Amino acid sequence: MKNERVYKMAFSRVYPLYIQKAERKGRSKSEVDAVICWLTGYDDAGLAEQIDKNTDFETFFANAPQINPNAVKITGVICGHRVEKIEEPLMQKIRWLDKLVDELAKGRPMEKILRR
């Protein structure tokens, strides 16, 4: 599976779409940021820096301070694929993020989204 195009996509182009999706369902930008920071280990300043730099997904995840160890608990289907069965590590991280934002938009409580 050729995913190079996705890996080179600027995170800053997708980020506003995550926010729009969440806000359409009554959630907030701060909740989207909390989900992203939980998964990647970025703080608010680090996240803003990655957005300002127009970092691509590959670099965004490569520079992530620490992927949350509970990320392996993220399961389910996103874009027709079970996230727990995706073999490419980078694509799995991208789909984890998609899944978390999807759960947020569907109204799932934050403590469950963040696998506490």
Side-chain angles (χ1 to χ4, degrees):
M1 189 172 186
K2 188 97 168 135
N3 295 311
E4 199 62 33
R5 194 171 134 216
V6 175
Y7 298 160
K8 295 301 178 190
M9 187 180 304
F11 176 77
S12 62
R13 288 185 57 209
V14 178
Y15 177 70
L17 301 176
Y18 289 149
I19 294 170
Q20 287 173 8
K21 182 175 188 172
E23 287 178 341
R24 275 194 308 267
K25 302 292 185 165
R27 303 306 284 258
S28 67
K29 176 186 176 295
S30 64
E31 288 175 306
V32 173
D33 290 351
V35 164
I36 294 169
C37 292
W38 175 85
L39 177 63
T40 61
Y42 285 113
D43 58 15
D44 290 334
L47 177 59
E49 181 181 336
Q50 294 300 313
I51 293 166
D52 290 343
K53 287 182 176 179
N54 286 324
T55 303
D56 60 32
F57 270 107
E58 187 172 26
T59 306
F60 178 79
F61 280 106
N63 291 341
Q66 179 179 351
I67 298 298
N68 193 299
N70 286 337
V72 296
K73 295 179 181 178
I74 301 170
T75 60
V77 177
I78 193 81
C79 298
H81 300 281
R82 293 209 66 80
V83 295
E84 63 272 21
K85 293 188 178 188
I86 297 172
E87 293 183 11
E88 291 183 54
L90 179 54
M91 183 53 74
Q92 187 174 49
K93 290 172 189 168
I94 293 168
R95 294 302 183 198
W96 281 341
L97 181 53
D98 291 343
K99 183 69 177 165
L100 293 174
V101 172
D102 194 48
E103 289 177 357
L104 183 67
K106 287 182 177 177
R108 193 164 192 205
M110 282 297 280
E111 61 272 3
K112 290 193 177 198
I113 294 170
L114 303 182
R115 297 348 193 226
R116 292 188 182 146

